[in-house]
Amino acid sequence: MSINNVADTGLPTHALPKLNPEQQLVAEYYQHQALLCQWFATLLAAELNETTLQAYMKGDAAPLLDGLASIDELSESVTAVQNAINGLSALAQPRLELAADFASLFLSDARHSPAPYASLYLDDGRFNGPSFQRMQARLTAAGYGVDADFQEPADHVAIMLDYLAESYRRLALDPTPEAEANLALFVKEELASWLPELASRAQKIETASAFYPTLLTLIAAYFYS
């Protein structure tokens, strides 16, 4: 995870309280949203290690992708990601080549790569601008801080997705209308508003595998579905 708890939130950390059937459905929905956002965050926070890569190549990502494919608007994007995963076995050194793709896309100079920071897209290319400040304020208000090992600003896409995952987990426990509205506004204005451009820029970078460009296209489409 790219964020961690830095304060006692007062929320329970174990099983959900006893719920009626309708409440259970709502809780399960938000838990599933949290799972997907956490997965996306993990994929964009760091390059895949050998264990995870081999697991994906053996089909371990299929359950999550199959679930996304059931959404009509996402089926094409899901197929592209699955095809990219299937094509990894054709690479001479899949992990190293994917790591190089990750660096080219996310770690290079922003003038030559689709840097994964909200400020670049929402603040006229100004890093650590208002978008960063708003995200930092959200993390502080929620009792989170950026993990010391993840040396990135608060408006990095992985941090924003991690925050979203944690927020969905909180909604699973206490789905108040105000919290739901606030999170929906965050998704619409702070995340979904720039992900398509990030995905579009990624398509223009030459990579050994289509994995990351197709993944970004899927993530962008997911928040518009």
Side-chain angles (χ1 to χ4, degrees):
M1 292 176 62
S2 54
I3 63 173
N4 51 47
N5 286 307
V6 296
D8 181 6
T9 64
L11 291 171
T13 58
H14 301 297
L16 292 172
K18 187 175 180 61
L19 305 173
N20 63 41
E22 181 178 354
Q23 291 171 325
Q24 185 65 36
L25 287 175
V26 171
E28 289 174 358
Y29 169 77
Y30 283 128
Q31 287 175 319
H32 182 66
Q33 294 290 90
L35 174 65
L36 287 173
C37 291
Q38 192 70 69
W39 184 50
F40 293 152
T42 300
L43 290 173
L44 298 180
E47 60 267 23
L48 297 179
N49 60 39
E50 186 65 30
T51 300
T52 303
L53 174 60
Q54 290 300 322
Y56 286 170
M57 292 173 67
K58 292 176 182 177
D60 281 17
L64 286 171
L65 291 174
D66 288 346
L68 290 169
S70 67
I71 302 172
D72 290 342
E73 297 89 343
L74 301 183
S75 59
E76 184 176 340
S77 298
V78 170
T79 297
V81 173
Q82 188 60 68
N83 288 341
I85 293 174
N86 293 340
L88 292 175
S89 59
L91 299 178
Q93 300 184 73
R95 188 186 67 79
L96 293 179
E97 292 180 71
L98 269 186
D101 287 350
F102 185 93
S104 296
L105 290 166
F106 307 124
L107 303 179
S108 299
D109 188 293
R111 293 170 296 180
H112 308 294
S113 70
Y117 308 103
S119 296
L120 177 66
Y121 303 89
L122 301 181
D123 302 333
D124 299 320
R126 291 183 297 145
F127 288 103
N128 297 332
S131 298
F132 162 79
Q133 294 166 11
R134 290 194 300 271
M135 192 63 217
Q136 186 62 59
R138 285 188 184 88
L139 293 176
T140 300
Y144 300 138
V146 177
D147 193 297
D149 294 330
F150 191 70
Q151 298 179 355
E152 294 285 359
D155 63 335
H156 187 286
V157 64
I159 294 174
M160 298 179 77
L161 289 166
D162 214 343
Y163 166 81
L164 187 55
E166 290 296 317
S167 298
Y168 280 133
R169 292 189 185 99
R170 291 189 177 198
L171 280 180
L173 294 168
D174 187 21
T176 65
E178 181 181 7
E180 291 174 326
N182 287 340
L183 198 58
L185 188 64
F186 167 76
V187 170
K188 179 181 178 181
E189 296 188 352
E190 303 287 357
L191 192 59
S193 56
W194 61 278
L195 286 179
E197 186 176 353
L198 172 64
S200 177
R201 290 190 184 193
Q203 296 290 339
K204 300 173 183 177
I205 303 298
E206 184 176 351
T207 55
S209 166
F211 177 71
Y212 287 114
T214 58
L215 174 66
L216 288 171
T217 298
L218 172 60
I219 293 173
Y222 173 73
F223 287 105
Y224 272 95
S225 65

